[in-house]
């Protein structure tokens, strides 16, 4: 059973000293190559007995509810994973009181999840997706960890390339994880856009000269335009007034399914008409692939990170909360 609590000053000081004197060095970029992760794991493996900072591979595989093959993240994790990786269940580490999927958990619940995964605050965590999707849900987990202030978080770019490069994998039942005590963090609410905030942006979008905040929508063109259904039955498709459609696949290489180089990412945002001088809110279906755009913006250094947010509830919340009389769901004519 995981224990959740606040680490004492003495214990925190000891861990801080270990972090400074340990062999682990931060990766040079938020995005990590398979070779970089492989070398780091050889130097600082995720051993439960080590008191030094470790590198922890964290699988965040997840599939849409209408996945044709009925796959789950846990299924592909058991089938093939990076050795000693842990599994982050995107459907469970959420606000269970919310009617909307994947809303951020409370600080206490986040700490409990980290404790159960045996992750320490001083660990370097590298999050990765399934081989099939390349980049999909890992950026959401990376964003979540950053919102809760985990110091060293990275994204593997990507597990598909890890396998193609012949790097080691394992399969089968998961090894036993020694739970720990992760301190309850504070949430950085400046990185999270609420329904009320996005609603005001959408209402103001029709006013002359008022488009100061840009909403980027990572869903497919068909869902954005309202010509294709949402994967969640009964949910209207369409888009928020004034939003810009940039499907998350546009920032990925079509062959490797890894993030495009920074210069190519800049071209994607510029072609879409995104103004880097203005604040940006990224949205999608449930706040998952919005974080792919958020990651791409950061990687391209496009816009100010201080002016970039993710709409946590995204379209699933939007389509259920706006009133028909407000005309805040638009569709292609």
């Amino acid at each position: 059973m995981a224990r959740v609590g606040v680490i004492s000053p003495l214990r925190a000081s000891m861990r801080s000293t270990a972090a400074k004197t340990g062999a682990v060095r931060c990766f040079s970029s938020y995005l990590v190559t398979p070779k970089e992760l492989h070398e780091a794991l050889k130097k600082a493996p995720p051993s439960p007995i080590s008191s030094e900072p470790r590198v922890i591979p964290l699988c965040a595989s997840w599939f849409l509810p209408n996945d044709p093959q009925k796959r789950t993240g846990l299924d592909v994790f058991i089938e093939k994973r990076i050795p000693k990786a842990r599994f982050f269940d995107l459907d469970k580490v959420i606000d269970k009181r919310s009617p909307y999927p994947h809303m951020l958990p409370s600080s206490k619940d986040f700490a409990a999840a980290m404790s159960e995964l045996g992750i320490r605050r001083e660990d370097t965590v590298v999050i990765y997706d399934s081989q099939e999707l390349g980049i999909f849900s890992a950026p959401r987990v990376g964003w979540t960890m950053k919102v809760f202030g985990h110091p060293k978080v990275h994204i593997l770019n990507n597990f598909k390339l890890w396998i193609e490069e012949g790097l080691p994998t394992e399969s089968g039942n998961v090894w036993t994880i020694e739970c720990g005590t992760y301190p309850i963090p504070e949430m950085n609410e400046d990185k999270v856009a609420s329904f009320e905030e996005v609603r005001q942006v959408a209402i103001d979008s029709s006013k002359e000269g008022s488009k100061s905040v840009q909403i980027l929508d990572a869903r497919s063109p068909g869902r954005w335009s309202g010509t294709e259904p949402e994967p969640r039955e009964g949910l209207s498709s369409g888009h928020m007034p004034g939003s810009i459609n940039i499907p998350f696949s546009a920032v990925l290489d079509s062959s490797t399914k890894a993030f495009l180089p920074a210069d190519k990412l800049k071209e994607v945002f510029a072609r879409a008409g995104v103004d880097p001088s203005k604040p940006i809110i990224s949205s999608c279906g449930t706040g998952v692939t919005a974080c792919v755009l958020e990651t791409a913006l950061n990687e391209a250094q496009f816009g100010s990170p201080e002016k970039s947010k993710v709409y946590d509830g995204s379209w699933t919340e939007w389509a259920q909360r706006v009133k028909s009389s407000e005309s805040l769901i638009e569709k292609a004519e």
Side-chain angles (χ1 to χ4, degrees):
M1 183 71 177
R3 295 174 294 142
V4 183
V6 178
I7 290 181
S8 68
L10 176 60
R11 189 173 180 184
S13 175
M14 292 172 62
R15 287 191 170 185
S16 175
T17 300
K20 292 177 182 177
T21 60
V24 179
R25 288 174 172 80
C26 290
F27 295 104
S28 60
S29 172
Y30 183 56
L31 298 183
V32 175
T33 67
K35 182 179 179 181
E36 288 173 328
L37 176 57
H38 181 55
E39 291 300 318
L41 286 171
K42 288 194 293 185
K43 295 176 181 177
S47 168
I49 62 173
S50 174
S51 62
E52 299 293 327
R54 308 162 301 172
V55 176
I56 306 290
L58 185 63
C59 177
S61 296
W62 179 77
F63 296 88
L64 287 168
N66 65 341
D67 180 64
Q69 301 177 42
K70 306 298 182 185
R71 295 169 295 184
T72 69
L74 185 58
D75 288 341
V76 298
F77 174 72
I78 292 173
E79 181 182 344
K80 186 177 293 185
R81 60 182 178 269
I82 294 173
K84 303 300 182 183
R86 293 137 199 230
F87 179 70
F88 186 103
D89 194 331
L90 198 58
D91 285 325
K92 291 184 178 179
V93 189
I94 57 173
D95 180 357
K96 295 181 174 64
R97 298 168 299 177
S98 173
Y100 314 112
H102 305 139
M103 298 293 275
L104 284 168
S106 67
S107 294
K108 184 176 180 180
D109 287 345
F110 173 80
M114 293 298 100
S115 298
E116 289 173 4
L117 287 167
I119 292 175
R120 306 168 188 160
R121 185 169 169 79
E122 64 268 24
D123 288 335
T124 296
V125 180
V126 182
I127 308 160
Y128 71 95
D129 265 296
S130 66
Q131 175 187 2
E132 296 89 340
L133 299 181
I135 294 291
F136 187 56
S137 49
R140 169 69 189 197
V141 176
W143 176 78
T144 297
M145 294 193 73
K146 290 196 293 182
V147 165
F148 285 109
H150 192 86
K152 298 177 183 178
V153 185
H154 299 272
I155 302 295
L156 177 63
N157 196 28
N158 58 18
F159 188 49
K160 182 176 187 293
L161 291 176
W162 174 283
I163 292 174
E164 290 177 0
E165 292 174 15
L167 296 174
T169 62
E170 66 180 14
S171 60
N173 294 328
V174 185
W175 57 289
T176 301
I177 296 173
E178 182 176 330
C179 298
T181 302
Y182 194 96
I184 298 174
E186 290 187 11
M187 179 192 295
N188 183 2
E189 297 183 359
D190 291 340
K191 300 300 295 178
V192 187
S194 66
F195 168 79
E196 291 76 15
E197 180 180 357
V198 178
R199 178 178 177 275
Q200 193 59 54
V201 171
I203 291 173
D204 291 345
S205 67
S206 61
K207 299 177 182 177
E208 185 176 351
S210 66
K211 194 175 180 182
S212 58
V213 180
Q214 303 160 106
I215 300 174
L216 309 186
D217 193 322
R219 293 175 300 148
S220 67
R223 291 169 63 188
W224 182 86
S225 65
T227 58
E228 294 178 0
E230 288 293 308
R232 289 163 184 82
E233 189 175 350
L235 195 68
S236 172
S237 56
H239 61 272
M240 305 164 197
S243 63
I244 301 171
N245 185 214
I246 305 180
F248 78 92
S249 58
V251 301
L252 305 180
D253 183 283
S254 59
S255 176
T256 65
K257 299 181 182 179
F259 278 102
L260 293 169
D263 58 336
K264 297 296 183 183
L265 292 174
K266 288 181 180 178
E267 292 177 9
V268 170
F269 293 118
R271 279 199 308 269
V274 183
D275 186 341
S277 69
K278 296 179 179 180
I280 296 171
I281 297 175
S282 296
S283 181
C284 59
T286 64
V288 175
T289 56
C291 297
V292 176
L293 296 187
E294 170 79 0
T295 301
L297 287 166
N298 290 336
E299 184 68 12
Q301 297 183 346
F302 194 92
S304 169
E306 289 73 31
K307 296 180 180 179
S308 181
K309 298 183 178 184
V310 169
Y311 175 21
D312 196 22
S314 283
W315 187 256
T316 301
E317 179 183 35
W318 184 264
Q320 294 181 67
R321 290 191 65 179
V322 296
K323 300 175 183 177
S324 57
S325 60
E326 295 177 309
S327 300
L328 291 177
I329 293 181
E330 294 186 348
K331 297 177 183 283
E333 298 182 358

